[in-house]
Amino acid sequence: MPQPSANYLFLWAIALIVGLTLSVIILGEIIYRLQYRRLPLAATLKVVRNMVLPMLAFLLFLRYVLQRPANDDLVKAIQTLFWVCVLHAALSLLNAIIFEQAKADTRRARVPKLLIDLFRLFLVLLGTAIVLATVWNADLAGLATALGVSSIVIGLALQDTLGSVMSGIALLFE
């Protein structure tokens, strides 16, 4: 593979500096306006500005300015963090769209916070497993089998307690 010229690396460095700076400033202004209007989308844009953009800039810096290979452990670690941050931003957007904008007398507004947090935890674990499987080429079949067997054992051991909790959640919905 031929080595890129110094101009190519310099252009990538300048594009990252200018692009990150402009995007942080623009997102800051949009967040300020959304917070002024008390719109819940501001929290999602804060996650994008504070987590996703820096991880993306660092990943691009490693790959295109420092010329680190894609199979390098540091690049894979930053790529994993980047995708976890994207997952967090997507879940924040989903929460803002579905639950934060719900009217007070609707069914969406009455969903218990515990149920929302459990569903979010499930999605985070699922997304993290997908990221680990794709970025690190990890075989998660053994882990999935172990989790399935252990969840059956725990479910059978806590059958009465979980039944009571589910009854309580059913009562909250009614």
Side-chain angles (χ1 to χ4, degrees):
M1 184 169 147
Q3 290 293 329
S5 67
N7 288 337
Y8 174 80
L9 299 176
F10 183 71
L11 286 175
W12 263 105
I14 294 298
L16 280 173
I17 292 169
V18 171
L20 181 65
T21 306
L22 284 177
S23 59
V24 166
I25 290 171
I26 290 170
L27 278 176
E29 287 297 319
I30 293 171
I31 290 168
Y32 175 75
R33 292 174 193 267
L34 289 175
Q35 283 178 337
Y36 182 74
R37 295 180 186 159
R38 299 184 192 273
L39 294 175
L41 189 61
T44 301
L45 290 180
K46 275 186 182 179
V47 170
V48 170
R49 182 191 65 188
N50 296 336
M51 296 174 77
V52 175
L53 280 179
M55 283 293 141
L56 177 63
F58 190 48
L59 182 62
L60 292 174
F61 179 76
L62 285 175
R63 287 285 293 133
Y64 296 107
V65 177
L66 296 182
Q67 296 294 308
R68 302 291 292 255
N71 59 359
D72 186 38
D73 286 342
L74 179 62
V75 172
K76 285 183 176 182
I78 298 302
Q79 194 174 9
T80 303
L81 285 174
F82 168 71
W83 285 112
V84 168
C85 290
V86 167
L87 177 68
H88 177 54
L91 289 176
S92 176
L93 177 66
L94 189 68
N95 186 41
I97 290 172
I98 294 176
F99 298 111
E100 297 289 329
Q101 293 181 348
K103 301 209 187 308
D105 57 347
T106 62
R107 183 173 282 223
R108 287 188 304 177
R110 292 182 298 187
V111 174
K113 179 111 171 78
L114 175 67
L115 192 62
I116 294 170
D117 290 341
L118 286 175
F119 185 66
R120 185 178 179 108
L121 175 68
F122 172 74
L123 290 177
V124 165
L125 291 176
L126 180 68
T128 303
I130 291 171
V131 168
L132 288 176
T134 55
V135 172
W136 294 92
N137 297 326
D139 182 24
L140 300 177
L143 179 65
T145 304
L147 285 174
V149 169
S150 63
S151 66
I152 290 172
V153 169
I154 290 172
L156 289 174
L158 297 175
Q159 192 171 11
D160 294 333
T161 306
L162 290 175
S164 299
V165 169
M166 290 302 154
S167 298
I169 290 175
L171 286 173
L172 284 175
F173 275 122
E174 294 180 17

